[in-house]
Amino acid sequence: MTVTIIWLIGFAAILFLSLRGWEASLSPFMSRTLPEALQSNADERWVWCPALAILGATFLVRPVDMLLTLLVIALVAWIAKRLLCWAMKKAKSH
């Protein structure tokens, strides 16, 4: 029960702060970093702010699990990139 309350408080605080700072910092950051296919002219704050709040609140409650998950994702992405590069070199040599 305590973990749920901490998660809800963290979620509400991060959501409030991200909605408040959307125009100043988050919107320009998203437009710089996201590829054009993921950008739209609609108000994206109601998609990205709750997503950031969920990730932030989960990171507050279970930081070790989140770090290990990020590590596994990064490792899988690195291995996939290496395998794709190797496969492309093999395909070019034939």
Side-chain angles (χ1 to χ4, degrees):
M1 184 72 175
T2 306
V3 172
T4 305
I5 292 173
I6 292 171
W7 191 91
L8 287 173
I9 292 170
F11 174 79
I14 294 170
L15 182 64
F16 173 74
L17 292 173
S18 63
L19 286 172
R20 195 176 81 183
W22 177 258
E23 293 297 327
S25 62
L26 286 175
S27 179
F29 174 75
M30 292 291 186
S31 64
R32 278 193 323 263
T33 57
L34 288 177
E36 197 170 317
L38 292 177
Q39 294 179 6
S40 70
N41 294 334
D43 195 16
E44 296 175 336
R45 76 172 62 198
W46 298 109
V47 174
W48 288 108
C49 289
L52 291 173
I54 289 170
L55 287 174
T58 305
F59 193 77
L60 283 173
V61 173
R62 304 191 64 91
V64 174
D65 293 346
M66 291 292 288
L67 286 175
L68 289 176
T69 302
L70 290 175
L71 182 67
V72 168
I73 290 171
L75 184 64
V76 168
W78 181 75
I79 290 171
K81 179 183 173 192
R82 290 291 180 182
L83 286 174
L84 286 173
C85 289
W86 175 79
M88 292 300 290
K89 285 181 185 176
K90 286 290 189 181
K92 286 183 181 179
S93 69
H94 290 286

